[in-house]
Amino acid sequence: MITVKIDTGKEPITKDMTSTSFTHRFKFLICFLGIFVSYFYYGIIQEKITRAPYGENKEKFVFALTLVFVQCIVNALFAKAVVKLTYTNEEKRDSTPMLWYGACAFTYLSAMLASNKALQWVSYPTQVLGKSCKPIPVMILGVLLARKRYPLVKYLCVFLIVAGVALFMYKEKPSAAQGGGMFSIAFGELLLLVSLTCDGLTGAIQDRMRGEHHVQSHHMMFNMNLWSIGILGLSIVTTGELFAFVTFCEKYPYVLAYMLTFSCASAIGQNFIFMTVANFGPLSCSIITTTRKFFTILGSVILFGNVLTGRQWIGVVCVFIGLGADSILSKSGKKKH
């Protein structure tokens, strides 16, 4: 291979390096757009399933575990199909211990369930603010457990992004006092802390997997969903939710079509999430998923002419400064290597 050197007055940059950098950025953009578009549609279908009244009695869909169970089945089938159809024989081999995938699935499901359960004791804005801090435990536990090292400016960039999202999405609590007392509020916040800790543990385990094994994105997607199917399957049978769900479907069979569409959107979104984790690490993935909701709401504001408050404009500036600085510093760090 002939390497062409380009004289920039500084360090010689090869054509191969420039091409690789462009491919890297393009792949990151594809992952970002894939997560953004698929989960935007995912959110619409999720609201249709869980918020819409069913039948004359206006019954509600209350089968959260079953919904995630079906979602995991479709995700696993999607990942298995991609491995079978597109992976070479060498790529089909995965040396990652299955117990690590099991640990990832357990912490991932624990984070999701704790976050949803917290809504019984804290307001939705409080839950959103808590989940907006997800990149912070991912970084901290990545350093402690996965022995990752980040420069100080990386912490500053992540802090700006998290603070910006929190400022933008925060809504004042309604004046009506919420029942439950101090213990209930503290318990809700404790559940949010558990959720964030589990998010951080998931990221730390994934970092270790990336560092010690050649992890393919769809192997990770398939095995984590396979473990999740086992955990959730046991849960919906022992709690009796599965039998109540079957009765509900007999009365409203069209909900199954909604759930299939919802699960397909989830499979596409998870495909891009695991591609991001495998290629760019769990921290980059958590930053994308955190800012996704911010950009969705900001786009809505711009399209429909809603007015932003001063606090929200400060949040917008913080997010863009954090993202811009992180992008510039990441590029300069790669050039030094």
Side-chain angles (χ1 to χ4, degrees):
M1 179 186 291
I2 299 174
T3 303
V4 180
K5 292 188 177 180
I6 303 171
D7 186 10
T8 60
K10 299 178 183 178
E11 291 184 26
I13 301 173
T14 67
K15 190 175 180 180
D16 289 341
M17 290 169 59
T18 306
S19 176
T20 303
S21 177
F22 174 78
T23 304
H24 189 79
R25 290 198 298 269
F26 182 72
K27 186 183 288 186
F28 185 83
L29 178 62
I30 292 297
C31 288
F32 175 83
L33 291 175
I35 292 172
F36 184 91
V37 173
S38 55
Y39 277 104
F40 179 79
Y41 184 70
Y42 171 95
I44 293 172
I45 300 298
Q46 184 179 40
E47 187 166 0
K48 192 176 185 68
I49 294 170
T50 58
R51 301 290 295 275
Y54 291 82
E56 294 180 358
N57 297 328
K58 296 186 176 180
E59 296 182 61
K60 291 290 186 181
F61 185 94
V62 293
F63 311 102
L65 290 177
T66 307
L67 180 62
V68 179
F69 176 70
V70 173
Q71 176 184 339
C72 289
I73 291 174
V74 175
N75 290 341
L77 291 173
F78 179 92
K80 192 66 174 178
V82 173
V83 171
K84 286 284 187 185
L85 296 174
T86 66
Y87 279 40
T88 64
N89 289 331
E90 184 64 30
E91 290 173 333
K92 287 178 182 177
R93 297 191 184 93
D94 183 17
S95 62
T96 309
M98 284 297 290
L99 284 177
W100 281 22
Y101 286 124
C104 270
F106 179 78
T107 54
Y108 166 74
L109 289 173
S110 298
M112 181 173 59
L113 293 175
S115 174
N116 291 337
K117 195 73 175 176
L119 285 172
Q120 295 182 15
W121 292 280
V122 300
S123 64
Y124 180 71
T126 302
Q127 191 237 34
V128 170
L129 287 175
K131 295 301 285 182
S132 296
C133 299
K134 179 179 175 179
I136 293 177
V138 171
M139 291 188 79
I140 293 172
L141 289 172
V143 169
L144 295 177
L145 300 181
R147 298 189 290 273
K148 294 284 290 184
R149 292 293 178 265
Y150 302 103
L152 183 61
V153 287
K154 184 77 172 181
Y155 290 97
L156 179 60
C157 291
V158 170
F159 175 77
L160 279 172
I161 293 168
V162 169
V165 172
L167 285 170
F168 185 85
M169 301 187 69
Y170 178 74
K171 294 178 182 177
E172 299 294 337
K173 199 189 316 188
S175 56
Q178 296 182 347
M182 289 297 293
F183 175 76
S184 296
I185 295 173
F187 187 66
E189 291 170 346
L190 178 63
L191 283 172
L192 284 179
L193 183 61
V194 169
S195 178
L196 286 171
T197 302
C198 289
D199 280 330
L201 287 170
T202 303
I205 295 168
Q206 288 173 335
D207 267 327
R208 285 289 295 271
M209 289 162 64
R210 291 179 70 241
E212 298 180 11
H213 302 273
H214 183 60
V215 182
Q216 299 284 352
S217 56
H218 294 94
H219 285 305
M220 187 184 293
M221 181 177 175
F222 172 75
N223 287 301
M224 279 187 62
N225 278 287
L226 192 64
W227 275 92
S228 298
I229 290 168
I231 296 168
L232 289 167
L234 184 63
S235 301
I236 62 177
V237 170
T238 54
T239 59
E241 182 177 309
L242 177 62
F243 310 107
F245 172 72
V246 171
T247 303
F248 186 85
C249 288
E250 288 175 350
K251 291 161 62 175
Y252 313 108
Y254 58 88
V255 73
L256 292 172
Y258 292 156
M259 291 175 68
L260 182 61
T261 308
F262 168 81
S263 299
C264 289
S266 167
I268 295 169
Q270 269 208 8
N271 170 64
F272 287 107
I273 280 181
F274 283 105
M275 281 177 62
T276 306
V277 170
N279 290 283
F280 305 102
L283 180 60
S284 295
C285 185
S286 68
I287 290 173
I288 290 176
T289 54
T290 298
T291 54
R292 172 187 63 83
K293 190 174 288 187
F294 163 80
F295 279 113
T296 301
I297 297 174
L298 181 60
S300 169
V301 167
I302 294 171
L303 289 173
F304 297 103
N306 297 316
V307 179
L308 294 180
T309 65
R311 182 191 69 247
Q312 286 177 315
W313 277 116
I314 294 172
V316 170
V317 171
C318 285
V319 169
F320 279 107
I321 289 176
L323 289 173
D326 184 54
S327 176
I328 292 168
L329 291 168
S330 295
K331 289 177 189 174
S332 63
K334 282 173 193 170
K335 285 180 184 177
K336 287 177 184 178
H337 291 84

